[in-house]
Amino acid sequence: VEVLHPINLRVAETGYYGDCDRCARAFSSIFQASLTFLQQVVAGDSWGTVSVPIIEEEPATALIFFAVLVTVNLGLLNLILTVIVDVAHESRQNDDLVKLKERAGEIK
């Protein structure tokens, strides 16, 4: 917020955003910044509306946007992978139980 909002205000003052009401306040608070990142990173919407003009105004901000993108994507991929591994582990345990029951039936 402290880094991106002043740069965003400079971009808004140039009139770049046109009739976009939300663009000038996209990083004005933690809530607004979180909402903007949710919209851009998770939903994949409006990268060109807010982020690209800020990066063009101050190229170093690309590191911030890239870090957020990578962190969120890796976090989501980690959650998905955790579910897949957990389901596979559970299936393996169920498979082992079935094999033990079959072997117990063969021994009798």
Side-chain angles (χ1 to χ4, degrees):
V1 172
E2 292 179 15
V3 174
L4 294 176
H5 185 59
I7 299 167
N8 192 35
L9 287 178
R10 284 198 318 252
V11 172
E13 287 171 0
T14 66
Y16 186 89
Y17 295 136
D19 62 346
C20 178
D21 296 332
R22 188 180 178 287
C23 294
R25 58 185 167 84
F27 297 101
S28 62
S29 67
I30 299 292
F31 176 75
Q32 291 296 331
S34 298
L35 186 61
T36 301
F37 282 133
L38 177 72
Q39 177 186 10
Q40 292 177 342
V41 176
V42 177
D45 187 27
S46 300
W47 270 100
T49 305
V50 179
S51 299
V52 172
I54 291 174
I55 292 171
E56 289 174 346
E57 177 75 21
E58 193 68 44
T61 59
L63 295 173
I64 295 171
F65 290 110
F66 181 72
V68 169
L69 178 67
V70 168
T71 302
V72 170
N73 283 338
L74 287 178
L76 288 175
L77 287 175
N78 193 22
L79 286 174
I80 293 168
L81 184 60
T82 301
V83 170
I84 291 170
V85 169
D86 190 45
V87 168
H89 179 70
E90 189 175 311
S91 294
R92 166 104 188 217
Q93 284 182 331
N94 289 339
D95 224 18
D96 288 344
L97 285 173
V98 169
K99 287 179 184 178
L100 285 174
K101 288 179 183 177
E102 287 176 357
R103 287 182 187 159
E106 290 173 4
I107 296 174
K108 291 182 182 179

